Amino acid sequence: MDVRIEPTWKERLNSEWSKDYFVRLTDFVKERYRTTTVYPPGSKIFAAFDACPFDKVKVVILGQDPYHGPGQANGLCFSVNKGIDLPPSLVNIFKEVSDDLGVPMPTDGDLDRWARQGVLMLNATLTVDAHNAGSHQGRGWEEFTDAAVRRLAEEREALVFMLWGSYAIRKGAFIDRQRHLVLTAPHPSPLSAYRGFFGCKHFSQANKWLEEHGLQAIEW
């Protein structure tokens, strides 16, 4: 199967393309795009990988589902296109960045600027029907994104994994804490941010770890 994805990821995930689950997933996703409104746009399904080649990844942030409102999802978890109102979880992420690092709140929610520095912002499920959260869960995306995380955890060294909320923490449970820095906190949504996401200082911890391993810090 010819999957349009960044070449280094295409090579690393080569064994997935012909698996039964991925063939079924591809058929399902194509049918949904053909018959209804699906987010993100088809060209952005693999945007997280396209913006952050395998060997350039320094930090991994795991999300769950793309945004399902018009114009929001752009293929990077928690990110929205410029000109789109900031979702509450992203506002809280920016608040924590500002409090942690003493930097101003960003004026837009397009996190491509993080991706280009080596931050892989990966949702567990890469597509969703409009206005129907979770509608593409359990169709195979989770197996695919598990494979991507596993490749990173096993083939790279000294990565930072930011796991926010119980779903992301479970998804990253297999990551070797001796090889990588694994940072966990409650989800940044308004329902849980005050239970420990605020004040987690993940962004300064990540930069300290990167610098200690001879890597350039992220300009959050």
Side-chain angles (χ1 to χ4, degrees):
M1 183 179 297
D2 185 23
V3 178
R4 296 179 183 177
I5 191 172
E6 192 277 331
T8 62
W9 279 108
K10 187 169 187 175
E11 178 183 354
R12 284 316 192 291
L13 295 170
N14 185 56
S15 61
E16 303 303 307
W17 312 134
S18 59
K19 290 183 178 179
D20 288 345
Y21 88 87
F22 195 83
V23 174
R24 291 194 301 271
L25 170 64
T26 300
D27 290 342
F28 168 76
V29 170
K30 285 181 177 178
E31 178 66 10
R32 297 312 294 163
Y33 273 96
R34 188 181 68 81
T35 58
T36 191
T37 300
V38 178
Y39 299 124
S43 63
K44 295 290 187 180
I45 292 174
F46 297 113
F49 300 99
D50 295 339
C52 197
F54 183 88
D55 295 325
K56 302 295 185 184
V57 175
K58 297 191 286 188
V59 179
V60 180
I61 299 176
L62 292 182
Q64 186 167 355
D65 219 31
Y67 296 121
H68 53 83
Q72 289 183 304
N74 61 13
L76 310 179
C77 71
F78 295 107
S79 175
V80 292
N81 293 311
K82 292 178 181 178
I84 298 294
D85 290 343
L86 302 184
S89 291
L90 185 55
V91 170
N92 288 341
I93 290 169
F94 286 164
K95 283 181 179 177
E96 177 59 23
V97 171
S98 182
D99 290 345
D100 186 11
L101 301 175
V103 297
M105 289 276 288
T107 56
D108 72 78
D110 187 353
L111 300 183
D112 183 69
R113 59 184 178 273
W114 293 2
R116 300 296 171 185
Q117 298 178 74
V119 182
L120 179 71
M121 284 166 287
L122 185 63
N123 277 315
T125 303
L126 300 188
T127 54
V128 66
D129 286 353
H131 311 297
N132 191 2
S135 51
H136 291 197
Q137 291 178 7
R139 294 287 185 165
W141 278 130
E142 295 90 343
E143 186 171 347
F144 174 73
T145 52
D146 278 351
V149 174
R150 194 172 295 278
R151 297 291 192 287
L152 286 168
E154 293 178 353
E155 297 181 27
R156 297 287 311 280
E157 299 290 338
L159 297 177
V160 180
F161 291 86
M162 294 183 179
L163 310 179
W164 301 332
S166 58
Y167 184 91
I169 291 169
R170 288 195 303 272
K171 191 173 180 69
F174 65 85
I175 298 166
D176 186 347
R177 270 66 171 171
Q178 301 301 313
R179 294 174 63 178
H180 306 289
L181 177 63
V182 179
L183 302 172
T184 63
H187 195 276
S189 79
L191 297 174
S192 56
Y194 288 95
R195 298 206 297 264
F197 178 78
F198 289 138
C200 69
K201 299 189 180 300
H202 281 185
F203 303 97
S204 59
Q205 289 184 66
N207 280 352
K208 181 174 183 287
W209 171 272
L210 293 174
E211 290 174 336
E212 287 174 351
H213 289 83
L215 299 170
Q216 188 170 352
I218 305 296
E219 290 186 19
W220 299 104

